[in-house]
Amino acid sequence: MRKENEDGEVVTHVSRTEARSGASTHVTRYVLGISLALVVIAFAILLATGFFNTAQTGADNSHMANAVEANGN
């Protein structure tokens, strides 16, 4: 970093390396890509095994009975 006097004003010049403050290794790109692929695979497995299918439970039957009673049948 260096300071210079230009047109009566003090101007600070920073080199490219100092401005970036570190190296870019592109690791984040790989982590995000691999994580996205793993999430897609996990959801595909859950979908294939029927995890998202729900069976009718007693609570569902109770709800249907209340709807019938509300209609006066």
Side-chain angles (χ1 to χ4, degrees), residues 3-57:
K3 293 184 180 185
E4 293 181 359
N5 193 0
E6 294 180 3
D7 298 329
E9 296 182 13
V10 176
V11 179
T12 304
H13 294 277
V14 181
S15 70
R16 184 177 191 180
T17 305
E18 290 173 332
R20 292 182 67 184
S21 297
S24 58
T25 59
H26 305 291
V27 174
T28 305
R29 181 182 308 160
Y30 299 125
V31 170
L32 291 174
I34 292 169
S35 299
L36 178 63
L38 290 175
V39 167
V40 169
I41 291 169
F43 274 112
I45 290 170
L46 291 174
L47 188 62
T49 59
F51 181 79
F52 295 112
N53 293 335
T54 57
Q56 190 173 15
T57 63

Side-chain angles (χ1 to χ4, degrees), residues 54-69:
T54 57
Q56 190 173 15
T57 63
D60 294 329
N61 291 333
S62 173
H63 181 67
M64 286 182 202
N66 290 337
V68 170
E69 291 173 4

